[in-house]
Amino acid sequence: AALSPWDVMLCVSGTAIACENALVVAIICYSPALRTPMFVLVGSLATADLLAGLGLILNFVFQYVIRSETVSLLTVGFLVASFAASVSSLLAITVDRYLSLYNALTYYSERTVLCVHTMLAGAWGVSLCLGLLPVLGWNCLHDRAACSVVRPLTKSNVTLLSASFFLIFLVMLHLYVEICKIVCRHAHQIALQQHFLTASHYVTTKKGVSTLAIILGTFGASWLPFAIYCVVGDPDYPSVYTYATLLPATYNSMINPIIYAYRNQEIQRSMWVLFCGCCQAKVSFRSRSPSDV
């Protein structure tokens, strides 16, 4: 088959995603201090994005080197499961941030650890089931009329995936609105205790709300075009439309390590330890709480 530049870009994107997230996974596994619920969730997100990056690479290799319907189903199922786990991990992180603010006094308890592990087990279990659906027969290899814009997935399959994404996006939107309310309320309470609203309180509140807007905006801008096109698109449309909406969706897995990992002071400290053997005394780090946004 002729080499498609879109497939090359997806492979390059997958390589960058795999490298970025492999570093995050290595740092979290290397550092015993990064065992809190927050970092377990970040590790789950990095693992899912790492698998998604590897899936994009494997899909390119098998598409142009080993052409097989069975292999195509396996790689597509692998990608569906990986990206579903990535989106589900983002939802779990959002829930954790909300709970860390709403129940700040009881956050560091065994109940929180159990809640995090339960969320991750459910997220990965559902993602695995979604990835197995095309492998177990929900595909259009023998019925091209049922194909969607993403072969060999059926129209009903991608509709289910898109509906699941829209539901997750709405839940995250609601939780981030609640988080913004809590952050603003905390800033107002501090101001009342000190009898005036200082500039630092205003800046901190504005920064927190802006960060939440960037997180949700990045997630929506990456995935919404592809999710919408999967519902309204037709398999007879030019494949360039599918690539043009799918490629930005992969960028979300490239941006996730920057937002959720590399900005964190604890991970920055662990990177110094991992690459330099010790943390330089001249570099100061501020410990961040799970509720930091």
Side-chain angles (χ1 to χ4, degrees):
L3 188 63
S4 169
W6 288 102
D7 289 327
V8 173
M9 286 189 288
L10 285 175
C11 183
V12 171
S13 177
T15 303
I17 291 170
C19 292
E20 277 185 295
N21 289 280
L23 179 58
V24 176
V25 172
I27 291 172
I28 293 178
C29 293
Y30 173 80
S31 306
L34 304 181
R35 296 292 185 269
T36 62
M38 177 183 65
F39 290 113
V40 171
L41 293 171
V42 172
S44 171
L45 175 62
T47 301
D49 287 332
L50 169 61
L51 294 177
L54 294 176
L56 290 173
I57 298 173
L58 292 176
N59 184 67
F60 177 84
V61 173
F62 290 138
Q63 185 174 356
Y64 291 98
V65 179
I66 306 175
R67 298 182 62 83
S68 168
E69 291 184 348
T70 303
V71 174
S72 174
L73 282 176
L74 290 175
T75 53
V76 169
F78 185 80
L79 283 171
V80 169
S82 300
F83 281 118
S86 175
V87 173
S88 300
S89 296
L90 287 173
L91 175 61
I93 290 176
T94 306
V95 173
D96 177 71
R97 286 184 167 180
Y98 172 74
L99 294 177
S100 68
L101 288 169
Y102 187 77
N103 299 317
L105 297 179
T106 60
Y107 180 80
Y108 292 100
S109 64
E110 293 296 329
R111 183 179 179 182
T112 301
V113 176
L114 178 61
C115 179
V116 167
H117 290 166
T118 303
M119 283 195 300
L120 289 182
W124 282 90
V126 172
S127 300
L128 181 61
C129 292
L130 291 175
L132 287 175
L133 289 178
V135 179
L136 296 179
W138 202 2
N139 58 70
C140 63
L141 291 179
H142 305 294
D143 184 12
R144 293 187 177 275
C147 282
S148 67
V149 294
V150 184
R151 291 193 70 252
L153 300 182
T154 64
K155 295 178 182 178
S156 55
N157 194 343
V158 297
T159 300
L160 172 64
L161 294 174
S162 297
S164 301
F165 167 79
F166 292 138
L167 177 61
I168 290 176
F169 181 76
L170 289 176
V171 172
M172 289 179 62
L173 177 61
H174 172 72
L175 289 176
Y176 274 128
V177 169
E178 293 299 319
I179 290 174
C180 288
K181 292 180 180 179
I182 295 174
V183 171
C184 294
R185 185 165 60 248
H186 285 179
H188 182 67
Q189 290 173 349
I190 293 174
L192 290 178
Q193 291 175 358
Q194 297 182 356
H195 305 293
F196 61 92
L197 182 62
T198 64
S200 61
H201 293 146
Y202 173 77
V203 172
T204 301
T205 304
K206 183 179 179 180
K207 180 181 178 182
V209 174
S210 299
T211 302
L212 292 177
I214 291 173
I215 291 173
L216 191 63
T218 301
F219 177 64
S222 299
W223 277 105
L224 276 176
F226 181 65
I228 294 173
Y229 182 68
C230 284
V231 176
V232 303
D234 188 273
D236 293 331
Y237 292 170
S239 60
V240 64
Y241 296 159
T242 303
Y243 282 114
T245 53
L246 176 59
L247 190 61
T250 65
Y251 291 159
N252 187 67
S253 295
M254 197 182 302
I255 298 172
N256 283 338
I258 300 174
I259 295 177
Y260 295 96
Y262 295 132
R263 292 175 60 250
N264 187 278
Q265 300 289 337
E266 298 292 339
I267 289 184
Q268 291 177 12
R269 181 188 296 114
S270 298
M271 289 179 64
W272 278 104
V273 175
L274 182 63
F275 292 112
C276 303
C278 62
C279 186
Q280 294 185 2
K282 294 183 179 180
V283 181
S284 61
F285 296 93
R286 181 179 64 87
S287 179
R288 296 170 64 92
S289 67
S291 61
D292 284 351
V293 294

